[in-house]
């Protein structure tokens, strides 16, 4: 079966995947959580500064994985996209339960799938992906419930599902639930934070299903595994999975921006891309930064006719 290339849903509308360009496949312009007190990313001017620096380094697009209820400032994204000249893909979905008020979660519990579909297809500024989150080496009740809703929304829209894997763990469990139980095609699943658990056998097993593996860092909070990044990428490339690897900056605090203490979004292009080019070749670099994100975020939207 040949699949149509689909369209990438950005905050300014749908674009053909080949227009996406050089992409930071997992990052945050805005983020707020009770788990990160005093570290909120909530300043549109600072977000514009970071995006502008990224664009100056050659960046064309960013996927913001901030889900519902975590200060993603959806209404600010179109203007930021216009002013910086970068495409922005926004997210719906839900993070782990600890990032929310329990009463609010309880209220939403039975309408999650409906809310995700609304945000993907009807909201004024639309999301282009669904974010879910696992737990450390397991999937808890909340995760399973959110994954079921995400799978439902995926089947209704074809939107990709990006997973925050806690410490990079439980990748195979997440694939088992989403793809095994709920019938999501593996290539519609983006496994986030896999660099935080650099087990080559797990990476390879996950890649063999057809899922995308998102190496999103380097991150100040998780730098302990940064030095394994190139080995992890090389192992996947050697095993024939270069077309399933994505890179992102995953900037989660104001301090970690390139306009503050760094490394921020632009380091992906000033620091990591030259290394990928040197060690794995220019074609692999183009796959990771351009071709793979174009495929990962291209969707055969079921709500509209193009
Ligand atoms: Zn993130």
């Amino acid at each position: 079966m040949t699949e149509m290339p689909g369209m990438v849903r950005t905050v300014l509308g749908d674009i053909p995947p080949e227009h996406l360009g050089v992409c930071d496949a997992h990052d945050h312009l805005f983020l707020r959580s009770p788990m990160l007190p005093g570290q909120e990313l909530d300043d549109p001017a600072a977000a514009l500064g970071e995006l502008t620096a990224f664009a100056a380094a050659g960046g064309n697009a960013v996927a913001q994985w901030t889900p519902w209820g975590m200060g993603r400032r959806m209404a600010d994204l179109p203007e930021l996209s216009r002013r910086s000249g970068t495409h922005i893909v926004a997210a719906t979905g839900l993070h782990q339960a600890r990032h929310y008020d329990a009463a609010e979660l309880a209220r939403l519990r039975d309408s999650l799938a409906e809310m995700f579909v609304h945000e993907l297809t009807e909201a004024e500024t639309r999301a282009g992906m669904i974010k879910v989150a696992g737990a450390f080496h397991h999937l808890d009740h909340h995760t399973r419930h959110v994954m079921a809703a995400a799978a439902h929304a995926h089947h209704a829209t074809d939107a990709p599902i990006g997973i925050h894997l806690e410490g990079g763990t439980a990748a195979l469990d997440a694939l088992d639930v989403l793809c095994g139980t709920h019938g999501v095609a593996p290539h519609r699943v983006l496994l986030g934070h896999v660099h935080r658990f650099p087990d080559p056998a797990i990476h390879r097993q996950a890649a063999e299903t057809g899922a995308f593996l998102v190496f999103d860092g380097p991150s100040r909070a998780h730098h302990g595994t940064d030095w394994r990044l190139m080995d992890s990428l090389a192992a996947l490339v050697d095993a024939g999975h270069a077309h399933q690897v994505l890179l992102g900056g995953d900037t989660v605090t104001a301090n970690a921006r390139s306009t503050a203490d760094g490394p921020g979004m632009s380091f992906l292009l000033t620091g990591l891309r030259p290394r990928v080019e040197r060690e794995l070749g220019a074609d692999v670099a183009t796959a990771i930064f351009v071709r793979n994100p174009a495929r990962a975020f291209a969707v055969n939207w079921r709500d509209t006719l193009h």
Side-chain angles (χ1 to χ4, degrees):
M1 190 177 78
T2 13
E3 221 177 311
M4 298 290 288
M7 296 286 269
V8 178
R9 181 149 294 172
T10 79
V11 297
L12 293 180
D14 293 358
I15 62 168
E18 63 272 21
H19 290 186
L20 195 64
V22 173
C23 184
D24 174 346
H26 175 172
D27 222 308
H28 303 275
L29 298 166
F30 300 109
L31 183 76
R32 171 169 43 75
S33 164
M35 303 301 293
L36 294 165
Q39 291 282 0
E40 294 77 14
L41 290 179
D42 60 3
D43 179 355
L48 179 60
E50 182 70 355
L51 267 181
T52 305
F54 176 65
N60 304 116
V62 57
Q64 158 159 293
W65 285 38
T66 312
W68 180 89
M70 292 186 67
R72 54 194 171 156
R73 298 184 77 114
M74 202 67 116
D76 286 311
L77 298 178
E79 177 70 5
L80 281 172
S81 175
R82 268 189 290 268
R83 291 187 61 186
S84 64
T86 54
H87 300 297
I88 300 175
V89 176
T92 183
L94 233 57
H95 211 305
Q96 295 156 339
R98 61 185 176 158
H99 295 286
Y100 300 98
D101 175 71
E104 195 166 36
L105 273 192
R107 181 177 61 77
L108 283 172
R109 188 174 165 81
D110 295 327
S111 53
L112 285 180
E114 202 183 323
M115 178 181 88
F116 298 163
V117 171
H118 170 78
E119 294 204 326
L120 290 160
T121 61
E122 293 165 344
E124 191 174 336
T125 301
R126 293 176 189 175
M129 65 174 287
I130 310 163
K131 156 92 167 258
V132 301
F136 190 53
H137 284 292
H138 73 294
L139 305 177
D140 60 21
H141 284 301
H142 168 81
T143 288
R144 288 171 191 275
H145 181 73
V146 176
M147 282 184 172
H152 186 100
H154 160 78
H155 288 304
T157 61
D158 190 41
I161 301 175
I163 312 178
H164 164 103
L165 295 171
E166 184 65 31
T169 66
L172 301 177
D173 308 68
L175 287 169
D176 199 37
V177 169
L178 282 173
C179 307
T181 307
H182 296 295
V184 177
H187 73 278
R188 301 276 60 193
V189 176
L190 284 54
L191 298 166
H193 302 324
V194 286
H195 66 294
R196 295 183 191 173
F197 191 65
D199 180 328
I202 301 283
H203 286 181
R204 187 161 172 169
Q205 251 182 292
E208 279 166 1
T209 69
F212 284 95
L213 277 75
V214 194
F215 292 81
D216 36 32
S219 137
R220 197 165 279 271
H222 302 280
H223 67 277
T225 52
D226 279 356
W227 65 279
R228 304 293 299 270
L229 176 64
M230 294 309 297
D231 285 346
S232 298
L233 297 182
L236 285 168
V237 170
D238 286 348
H241 298 295
H243 61 293
Q244 291 163 262
V245 174
L246 300 171
L247 284 182
D250 198 27
T251 315
V252 293
T253 63
N255 241 352
R257 284 192 156 136
S258 68
T259 47
D261 247 359
M265 289 172 60
S266 28
F267 181 75
L268 269 189
L269 305 179
T270 58
L272 284 182
R273 189 169 59 179
R275 275 204 73 185
V276 172
E277 283 170 351
R278 199 163 58 238
E279 295 181 28
L280 302 172
D283 189 58
V284 169
T286 304
I288 290 176
F289 287 98
V290 180
R291 292 199 302 268
N292 299 350
R295 279 199 340 280
F297 293 107
V299 171
N300 286 295
W301 293 100
R302 303 216 166 99
D303 60 317
T304 47
L305 295 170
H306 297 290

